[in-house]
């Protein structure tokens, strides 16, 4: 069986995954799938319907009603119908998403859908893409940046927030996320330190890693 045309990108919050993944997807001519949006949308839906966040079967039921779509061009991107970006980056969602994402059965359902979304080729980012979703991806990147750099980046993205509050929230989420997915590179993953580089330099470095490993019949 041939390897999927997938670049698997993992790393902590604020490590630069989204910017790099979108740029790589555009360069390779494949969709960009941000799996964090799937967990965020499920969290937003769960908060809206006030289900018990410890009840993974109730969460799976809600997940069954979400519609994941790949839309747009250059690159096509994952969207969740009815959940614009603003609804997925609220403080409430960010405080709660790690609790929703920790349930093994929820993760199983998510992974199944993620494989279906990526099977025809994708740049896919998340926390467990190279370890669990596409362990046979021909290219695996693990992004790293120190905590100060990651929270500075997040504070710039969420312009209205207090930087100290952003740093606190990030640390809180890191701790919880690491209990579900230890933030360590998968076997065979190349570690890219994004801290000292701007977005163009990170993309250029990643393309040097991806091009030689990318299946020849790929776009
Ligand atoms: O990448 P992000 O920060 O948007 O992800 C939001 C949350 O979803 C994050 O706190 C951990 C969880 N997540 C996960 O558990 N597995 C993934 N593949 C992607 C995200």
């Amino acid at each position: 069986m041939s390897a999927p045309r997938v670049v698997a990108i993992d790393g902590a919050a604020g490590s630069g995954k989204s910017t790099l993944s979108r740029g790589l997807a555009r360069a390779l001519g494949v969709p960009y799938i941000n799996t964090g949006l799937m967990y965020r949308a499920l969290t937003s839906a769960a908060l809206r319907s006030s289900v018990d966040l410890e009840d993974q079967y109730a969460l799976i039921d809600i997940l069954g009603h979400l519609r994941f779509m790949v839309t747009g061009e250059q690159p096509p991107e994952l969207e969740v119908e009815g959940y614009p970006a603003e609804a997925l980056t609220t403080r409430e969602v960010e405080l709660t998403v790690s609790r929703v994402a920790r349930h093994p059965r929820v993760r199983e359902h998510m992974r199944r859908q993620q494989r279906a979304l990526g099977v025809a080729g994708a740049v896919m980012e998340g926390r467990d893409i190279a370890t669990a979703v596409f362990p046979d991806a021909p290219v695996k990147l693990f992004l790293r940046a120190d905590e100060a750099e990651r929270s500075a980046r997040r504070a710039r993205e969420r312009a209205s927030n207090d930087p100290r509050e952003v740093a606190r929230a990030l640390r809180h989420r890191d701790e919880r996320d690491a209990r579900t997915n230890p933030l360590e590179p998968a076997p065979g993953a190349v570690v890219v330190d994004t801290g000292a580089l701007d977005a163009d330099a990170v993309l250029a470095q990643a393309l040097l890693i991806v091009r030689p490993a990318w299946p020849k019949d790929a776009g």
Side-chain angles (χ1 to χ4, degrees), residues 8-10 107 111 115 126-137 140-142 180-187 189:
I9 302 190
D10 295 300
R107 302 195 68 80
R111 286 171 178 162
R115 286 185 198 114
R127 300 291 195 289
D128 60 346
I129 309 306
T131 49
V133 181
F134 281 108
D136 51 350
K140 302 171 187 175
L141 301 177
F142 185 86
T180 304
N181 296 294
L183 273 175
E184 279 166 21

Side-chain angles (χ1 to χ4, degrees), residues 60-212:
I60 289 167
D61 191 43
I62 293 176
L63 177 57
H65 291 90
L66 295 181
R67 272 199 66 210
F68 301 117
M69 311 172 298
V70 177
T71 60
E73 286 174 47
Q74 293 190 346
E77 295 192 16
L78 176 86
E79 271 182 33
V80 191
E81 189 179 60
Y83 292 84
E86 311 82 76
L88 302 180
T89 50
T90 63
R91 189 168 176 273
E92 206 188 10
V93 166
E94 296 204 332
L95 279 174
T96 316
V97 62
S98 311
R99 282 179 67 194
V100 168
R102 78 179 182 80
H103 297 293
R105 298 245 178 268
V106 170
R107 302 195 68 80
E108 256 171 44
H109 280 254
M110 285 288 192
R111 286 171 178 162
R112 204 171 305 139
Q113 301 206 45
Q114 289 157 2
R115 286 185 198 114
L117 285 161
V119 75
V123 175
M124 186 172 286
E125 65 147 288
R127 300 291 195 289
D128 60 346
I129 309 306
T131 49
V133 181
F134 281 108
D136 51 350
V139 191
K140 302 171 187 175
L141 301 177
F142 185 86
L143 303 196
R144 187 167 270 160
D146 68 28
E147 192 187 290
E149 175 57 35
R150 292 189 295 112
S151 45
R153 208 177 266 156
R154 249 319 115 87
R156 283 196 296 275
E157 286 165 8
R158 316 268 201 270
S160 61
N161 282 331
D162 166 4
R164 273 173 312 187
E165 167 61 24
V166 171
R168 251 197 312 275
L170 198 78
R171 204 169 307 131
H172 173 83
R173 196 147 65 89
D174 276 358
E175 278 168 20
R176 286 173 172 257
D177 286 346
R179 285 183 222 157
T180 304
N181 296 294
L183 273 175
E184 279 166 21
V190 179
V191 178
V192 176
D193 196 321
T194 66
L197 303 173
D198 68 20
D200 288 344
V202 174
L203 176 60
Q205 190 179 327
L207 279 169
L208 288 177
I209 299 163
V210 173
R211 293 265 193 225

